[in-house]
Structure formats: C-alpha cells, structure tokens
Amino acid sequence: MVPPWPTSRRPTRSSPSCAPGGRRPRRKLPPGAAKTLRNRRQKRGALARGTLSTAHHRAPPPVGRAACGPGRHWDATGARRRRRPLATELEARRTIVKIGVLGVGHIGKTLTQRLAAAGHQVKAANSRGPHTIEADALSTGGRAVTAAEAVEDVDVVILSIPLNRLPQVAPLIADVPVDTVVIDTSNYYPARDGRIEAIDAGQAESLWVTEQLGRPIAKTWNAIGSHSFAAKGKPAGSPDRVAIPIAADRDQDRKAAMALVEDTGFDAFDAGALADSWRQQPGAPCYCTDLTREEMPGALAAAEAERLPKRRDLAVAAIQERVGDATTNPDAEYGVRLNRALFV
C-alpha cells in the first residue's frame, strides 16, 4: 500500500517525519558534534531570554550608529543590514560638481563634453549666444546658456577664452562668490593677444590674470594641445597616460582642479603655486609635449624663464609655415613632435 504522504528517499528512515505518528530516527553524530549542537541551542535560548553574558556575545551597536567597521552597517533600530553593492557605494560617495564653462572653442568644447560625460552638471556659454553653440559640444549632456547664466549657482567656473579677453569678463566674475573655484586655461600669444607689457617684462601669465579678475584662480588645461586633449584621454592607471600640470595658491582651487583633470582622462600633476606657473607656459618643456606623470617633474624643473618667449615664437612660426595661418591648431602628432624638438 502506498501511503498518502510523501515518503523519504533515504532507505534508513522507516517513515517520514510528516507521517501521522511518525518520528524521524536519531542519526549518529561524529564525536563532539552533539556537544556543539547542545551549546548552540543553549546560546539561542539565552539570547532570546536576554541572559547571555557579554563575554560571549557582542551586543548590537547603539541606535543611530552608522557603522562598526568595514562592511558592517546598522540601521536606525540597531539591526545589522546588508551591505550595498560596491558600485552603489561609489556612486553614493561621488561628488557631482556644477560647472560653468565660458568659451567652447578648441579646449572649451572638449571640456564641456568630457566633464558632462563624467556626470557633472555643465553649463556652456560663448560670446555669441547659446544658439550658436554646436550640438556636438553638448552631446554628452552639457547645456547651452548665456554667459551670465553660466557663472550663476556653480561650484566651478572654467575660463576657456583667449587671454586678451579676460579683462572683458572680469565684471562677470566679480559677482561670483569667493569660495567658487575659477580655473583659467589661457596662454599668452602676442600675435593674437597684442603685446602685454607686464607679461613681456617677465610676470607669470597666471599672476596677470589674477590681477585682471581680482581673485585667485587655478591654472590648468593650458599645457596640452587641443588635438591631444580631444583624443588622448585614458582611464586612470592606463600606461603612458598623459599628465596635465595644475598651479594654484589655494588648496581648494588645487584640489578641485586636480579632480576635474582626472575626470577628463588625464593624470593631474601638482605644479605648485601660481608664481611658478611660468614653468607650464608656451615654450616650456612641459608645454604641449604630452609627458607622463613620471616625466613631468623633470620637465618643470628644466624650464628656463628667459628662453620661453623665443621658443614660443619659433613654434608659432613653424606652425604658420605648415598650416598657413595663425589660428589653425596643428594635429597632435605634428604639434607634439615640433614642441618636443624646440622645448625639451
């Protein structure tokens, strides 16, 4: 006769535990196992009664405690909760920065694309109005706005305009809060900017910019060619990743600029104070030569201030001879090869 209940497949059991009146036979345990099971039952009972000694059990953390070591998180009731996936934790720790970019030319366009692709809130503006900003500059999530809107309610303002136009935007920057980071990417080229007596006399370009704007800045993205910037970004840790120097006087400016440089796909290198930023100006060994982080210290140290203007002008003349004008940038291969021959 087949019983109406499911039977065990184990031949050692005469009847299943669910059979009416049936009992599962005791199984033989290895030596010491019975004591272990007994201790576990006693411990569970003591926990339920609240009589277990603290010498044998660590009590849950007090209510409101956020964590008790790596991966041990507790909710508001003191109960331990499951750890979030690593990707979720990284996303929770990520700082989304609100950025305004003034200028969407050679460098500004790539900045808008890269920083928006990195997850930041990017507003881009130029002098002709938002309707003139090309769609590909906004392809990764950037938003076209007016120049006044670009500097409102942002954490960082990036000035990617010719150096001779910086005095024109000074009134706009004057209303930006002092704790907002302002980053300048410009370089001095007399053929384009006209002669600036203070810089010709030896003043670092960045210090001249701070005087025009009336506030501290960070100097970066000025020492890389536009073609290299658009094409050579790599994930952190990649071999031969190109480094970009950053100069600043305030720690908050330096830290913000270095973090954003990394987000654009390049190794951020601390180049010191603004007074030393002449070492990353046109004509210097690190200028548009696509060096790695390991090569950057030697290049900065090898810069000779009195030789920079002549080397800069030699490079401009060579590029003009090749491309036929003073506004077209050379491709990365030619530009890097030329600058290494002249500057390094």
Side-chain angles (χ1 to χ4, degrees):
M1 176 180 177
V2 178
W5 56 82
T7 59
S8 172
R9 295 182 179 179
R10 290 188 177 182
T12 55
R13 293 183 180 175
S14 58
S15 63
S17 60
C18 58
R23 293 189 61 183
R24 181 173 297 171
R26 292 180 178 273
R27 56 179 177 173
K28 293 183 178 181
L29 300 175
K35 184 177 180 180
T36 300
L37 290 174
R38 185 169 59 254
N39 290 341
R40 287 178 181 174
R41 293 192 192 100
Q42 292 174 353
K43 185 175 181 179
R44 284 198 297 268
L47 283 172
R49 296 189 299 272
T51 59
L52 182 65
S53 170
T54 57
H56 299 86
H57 174 68
R58 177 181 293 178
V63 173
R65 183 173 177 178
C68 185
R72 299 180 66 182
H73 300 282
W74 307 82
D75 61 20
T77 66
R80 195 165 133 179
R81 64 190 181 201
R82 296 180 64 183
R83 185 177 182 180
R84 294 183 297 179
L86 178 59
T88 306
E89 289 192 350
L90 290 175
E91 186 64 26
R93 290 199 303 265
R94 179 173 178 77
T95 301
I96 305 301
V97 179
K98 294 184 288 185
I99 303 170
V101 179
L102 291 182
V104 284
H106 296 305
I107 297 294
K109 174 181 175 180
T110 303
L111 281 170
T112 301
Q113 293 172 332
R114 294 284 179 83
L115 293 174
H120 301 298
Q121 300 175 14
V122 182
K123 298 184 289 185
N126 62 10
S127 59
R128 295 171 294 156
H131 64 283
T132 65
I133 298 177
E134 297 177 0
D136 61 338
L138 310 173
S139 60
T140 59
R143 184 162 58 93
V145 297
T146 65
E149 292 172 324
V151 300
E152 290 180 351
D153 187 29
V154 291
D155 306 303
V156 178
V157 174
I158 302 176
L159 304 176
S160 188
I161 60 179
L163 183 135
N164 64 346
R165 290 176 50 202
L166 288 172
Q168 299 173 21
V169 303
L172 199 63
I173 302 300
D175 295 330
V176 174
V178 69
D179 59 343
T180 300
V181 175
V182 176
I183 301 175
D184 172 38
T185 74
S186 68
N187 292 297
Y188 174 48
Y189 281 100
R192 178 197 63 194
D193 301 319
R195 288 289 175 180
I196 299 176
E197 184 178 349
I199 297 179
D200 286 340
Q203 185 180 29
E205 297 169 12
S206 298
L207 295 181
W208 183 85
V209 172
T210 61
E211 291 179 358
Q212 305 307 306
L213 300 181
R215 61 171 301 132
I217 64 166
K219 184 79 166 186
T220 190
W221 288 304
N222 72 298
I224 185 168
S226 58
H227 281 247
S228 291
F229 188 41
K232 295 187 178 182
K234 295 182 179 180
S238 299
D240 300 325
R241 195 184 195 212
V242 175
I244 294 180
I246 297 101
D249 288 339
R250 298 193 307 182
D251 286 342
Q252 68 188 68
D253 298 336
R254 180 179 295 103
K255 290 177 180 178
M258 293 184 72
L260 294 179
V261 165
E262 293 282 344
D263 282 347
T264 58
F266 297 84
D267 280 340
F269 188 89
D270 185 354
L274 291 176
D276 293 323
S277 63
W278 60 268
R279 297 180 182 275
Q280 62 194 68
Q281 290 177 188
C286 78
Y287 183 78
C288 295
T289 50
D290 290 1
L291 305 179
T292 64
R293 187 197 301 272
E294 292 72 26
E295 296 170 321
M296 188 61 68
L300 290 170
E304 302 172 80
E306 64 279 2
R307 301 183 69 178
L308 300 189
K310 186 174 182 178
R311 291 178 174 181
R312 174 199 64 204
D313 295 343
L314 283 172
V316 170
I319 292 170
Q320 285 182 315
E321 189 278 331
R322 182 180 179 88
V323 302
D325 62 72
T327 59
T328 302
N329 284 356
D331 61 79
E333 181 181 355
Y334 172 75
V336 171
R337 188 169 66 249
L338 172 68
N339 290 336
R340 287 185 175 183
L342 294 176
F343 306 161
V344 178

